[in-house]
């Protein structure tokens, strides 16, 4: 089994990456293969051209960035984690580009992510994280995925790089998320 996680933060080693790493460590301790992908921009947003629906090749027609590589990784994985920091109570542009383009391609190609396990992870300084959390989960829900839960919303608090390392409750939430996601993946199997 494999889980791929996407870090939508412009800071490769920032708070979002720290939170994602905590989840991935739990999955790895259960023998699940993991991969962390840092979204490198600029990433183009969806143009609503519907070429993905016309072509039905599992790809976005836009091919000058890394989104098609991400879609391939998502299609091959059993579980998908998308992490984003909170910028002005919203996702980063990189995270939004991934959600929109991967979501459209997946739906246009027979719901490629159907019944995969998904989880959102959000870093926040103070407020706005629930909107980010909801936005990521909307992709999972419309893609007919199964969302793994934790003991609280999958949010860690911090401002400066590595501040979330002091958020004990946030890190505990990430560990529980990893445990629950692993448990769920093993129950679903490779159907």
């Amino acid at each position: 089994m494999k889980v791929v996680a996407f870090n939508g933060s412009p800071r490769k080693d920032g708070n979002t990456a720290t939170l994602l790493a905590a989840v991935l460590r739990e999955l790895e301790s259960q023998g699940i293969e993991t991969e962390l992908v840092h979204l490198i921009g600029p990433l183009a947003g969806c143009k609503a051209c519907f070429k993905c629906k016309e072509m039905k090749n599992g790809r976005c027609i836009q091919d000058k960035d890394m989104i098609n590589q991400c879609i391939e990784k998502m299609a091959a994985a059993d579980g998908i984690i998308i992490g984003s920091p909170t910028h002005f109570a919203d996702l980063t542009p990189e995270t939004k580009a991934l959600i929109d383009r991967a979501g459209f391609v997946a739906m246009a190609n027979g719901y490629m992510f159907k019944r995969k396990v998904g989880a959102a992870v959000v870093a926040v300084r103070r407020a706005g994280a629930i909107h980010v959390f909801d936005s990521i989960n909307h992709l999972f829900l419309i893609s007919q995925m199964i969302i793994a839960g934790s003991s609280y919303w999958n949010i860690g608090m911090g401002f400066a790089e590595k501040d979330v390392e002091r958020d004990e409750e946030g890190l505990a939430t990430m560990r529980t998320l990893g445990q629950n996601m692993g448990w769920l993946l093993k129950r679903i199997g490779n159907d």
Side-chain angles (χ1 to χ4, degrees), residues 3-110:
V3 172
V4 62
F6 296 93
N7 178 7
S9 174
R11 295 180 179 155
K12 186 176 183 181
D13 297 316
N15 290 320
T16 305
T18 300
L19 295 170
L20 289 168
V23 179
L24 297 180
R25 276 192 300 275
E26 288 297 325
L27 290 164
E28 290 165 1
S29 74
Q30 295 183 48
I32 296 170
E33 181 185 349
T34 67
E35 180 180 5
L36 178 59
V37 177
H38 181 70
L39 298 177
I40 300 169
L43 301 177
C46 178
K47 295 181 180 182
C49 66
F50 298 105
K51 290 289 184 186
C52 55
K53 190 171 184 176
E54 180 183 317
M55 306 276 289
K56 294 201 183 298
N57 62 358
R59 300 179 58 78
C60 177
I61 193 78
Q62 299 181 74
D63 62 359
K64 301 220 181 309
D65 59 25
M66 68 184 296
I67 295 293
N68 280 322
Q69 296 163 331
C70 295
I71 294 168
E72 289 173 13
K73 291 178 183 294
M74 294 166 88
D78 301 293
I80 300 167
I81 303 171
I82 297 177
S84 179
T86 306
H87 289 185
F88 290 92
D90 216 333
L91 305 160
T92 62
E94 294 81 10
T95 308
K96 183 64 172 154
L98 175 67
I99 286 172
D100 287 354
R101 288 172 58 197
F104 270 112
V105 168
M107 287 171 42
N109 288 271

Side-chain angles (χ1 to χ4, degrees), residues 2 11 28 68 70 103 114 123 129 155 165 171 179 185 189:
K2 182 171 183 177
R11 295 180 179 155
E28 290 165 1
N68 280 322
C70 295
K114 184 177 184 176
I155 296 167
E165 291 177 355
L171 290 173
Q179 293 162 7
L185 283 163

Side-chain angles (χ1 to χ4, degrees), residues 175-186:
R175 288 189 295 272
T176 301
L177 174 61
Q179 293 162 7
N180 290 344
M181 191 172 195
W183 179 89
L184 184 55
L185 283 163
K186 289 176 181 179

Side-chain angles (χ1 to χ4, degrees), residues 142-157:
I142 200 168
S143 298
Q144 300 182 45
M145 293 174 60
I146 300 159
I147 298 174
S150 187
S151 54
Y152 200 72
W153 292 272
N154 309 331
I155 296 167
M157 297 183 75

